[in-house]
Amino acid sequence: MLRPFKLHEPTSVDDAVSLLGRFGEEAKVYCGGTELLLAMKEGLLRYNHLVNIKTIPGLDEVGYDQGSGMLSIGATVTHTALEHSPQIQSHFPMIAEAEGNVANVRVRNVGTIGGNLCFSEPHSDPGAFLLLFDTQVEIQGPGGQRTIPLAELTLGPFETCLEDDEVLTRILVPQFPQGMTGAYLKFGYHARPTLGVGVSVRVEPTTSDGEHIERAVVTEVRVAVGSAGPKAVRVAEAEQLLMGKTVAELLPGSNGGESSNMNEASRLAGRAADAMDDIHGSGEYKEHMIGVFLKRAFAKAVNTRQPTVQSPLS
Amino acid sequence: MAINETQRPDIDRIPVSLTVNGRTVTDNVPPELTLLDFLRDWLGLKGAKRSCDLQVCGACTVLVNGRAVSSCTFLAFEARNAEVTTIEGLAQNGELHPLQQSFIDNAAFQCGFCTPGMILAAKSLLDQNHHPNEEEIRAYMKGNICRCTGYKKIVEAIVAAANGD
């Protein structure tokens, strides 16, 4: 049962910021409600004022600038809108596919990307796969606007660096460097993934037929893990172990071999996830499975011409 | 201090006008009223069911402008100016909707508790994709849970309805 609250529907971000400033801790931004309302129904969160930012013009827009390769997503864009956006489907197919696998269709129809990132549920897929893109977020407060890396937004479970009177307005996603491909794999039997592993990689020389890919050298690589621990993280130590190695050195599995660098990267990625025991499994199990999925995500990323994701096992 | 419903001024209510199964409904709703409570308790439409109350099971599925939503966690005021469709709105002139008939013909339910949500979710799928394959049906319907039939009959019923069988 939801306790009574007062709804405010500002028509500008400035008005939203001033409402949030006036009511302080008694107010919260309402931006879809698929997670906030659950916590309020359970009495875990109590707010006397909700500030609906979905009525603010422009925040529901997706824009792509061909020249700079920058994708700009308004905070109130729903997961369904991202999944079906022609611009995202053609320029960021990995995001379109991953968004099509968030929760279930009813949540995707209502839940928004801004709400998802600001609620900082640790099992958020966007919070993990957007780290592969060096994503930035625009935040507006009483003192004006600031832009910070997505990695700095989330402090931990259900906790961000946003002040009470700040609103996340846009998510800025730069295109992968030329030649980079990516894959985001998630694993779990429930709507919330047990773990998510993303890898994007650029190898040289690039091959069009994929036949000589094993001789190619990793020239750039990004590793992100999420859902298993308190927040999604990039794993620089794992990335360093993969840099400069050939694909054959890192994926000798077809010849029955093992790669010490890949094994160590997998171990570090599992460790970096800071996996927690919960109903989805023990921390130890998740740590191990992150290593398994890092290898799979890496293999998938180097073997794909288009960035792809794999559906969860559900 | 918490807001108390009895001391709440009328001004806090939100005027809404929407259509529910084609009928225009105009009212003033408190912001915390869910669409599920609005449909069941205010309008007496009991087809949508409350089950998990967490947007996981799909028993409360209704369509808002053709899109499936979990009415248990969807605020009624958000349906303003929208077209809401519940299971009660599918039959026309005493004739069952093809999906309803197909669920009967294919024995796609036992207790029936999940059926309104299943049929409405299937309707939103078929309205977007007239002939989905089985994989697409399973991917789309994975958010609707049935504890009786095991899904095979449900998928068959949707395929049959899509094929006009």
Side-chain angles (χ1 to χ4, degrees), chain A residues 1-7 9 26 30 32-35 37-38 41-42 48-50 52 54-55 78 80 84 101 103-110 191 312 314, chain B residues 1-5 8 11-12 14 31-34 37 50 53-58 61 67-70 72-75 77-78 80 128 139-140 142-144:
Chain A
M1 193 72 180
L2 280 164
R3 295 159 61 92
F5 56 82
K6 185 166 167 57
L7 183 80
E9 302 204 285
E26 291 208 346
Y30 171 76
T34 56
E35 298 180 291
L37 294 179
L38 292 187
K41 276 202 265 193
E42 291 297 318
N48 287 333
H49 302 270
L50 289 191
N52 182 10
K54 293 196 296 177
T55 45
T78 63
T80 296
H84 295 294
N101 279 317
N104 60 48
V105 66
R106 302 181 307 278
V107 171
R108 293 197 295 277
N109 282 342
V110 178
S314 60
Chain B
M1 190 147 88
I3 295 173
N4 186 319
E5 181 58 33
R8 155 182 295 250
I11 200 168
D12 286 348
I14 301 167
E32 68 275 8
L33 182 70
T34 64
D37 288 335
R50 185 190 309 280
D53 216 15
L54 295 167
Q55 311 161 98
V56 171
C57 74
T61 303
R67 290 212 155 133
V69 306
S70 293
C72 72
T73 313
F74 187 94
L75 296 175
F77 84 83
E78 293 260 45
R80 62 191 162 191
Q128 294 167 38
Y140 193 91
K142 75 172 189 183
N144 285 74

Side-chain angles (χ1 to χ4, degrees), chain A residues 259-281:
Chain A
S259 161
S260 58
N261 275 56
M262 180 59 88
N263 286 345
E264 181 63 6
S266 293
R267 194 185 70 78
L268 291 173
R271 183 63 55 87
D274 195 10
M276 299 180 291
D277 297 340
D278 62 19
I279 57 166
H280 302 296

Side-chain angles (χ1 to χ4, degrees), chain B residues 69-104:
Chain B
V69 306
S70 293
S71 61
C72 72
T73 313
F74 187 94
L75 296 175
F77 84 83
E78 293 260 45
R80 62 191 162 191
N81 307 320
E83 289 179 18
V84 174
T85 305
T86 72
I87 194 70
E88 290 90 343
L90 290 195
Q92 296 292 324
N93 304 319
E95 187 137 333
L96 291 179
H97 185 276
L99 270 164
Q100 292 175 306
Q101 190 62 52
S102 189
F103 268 60
I104 294 171

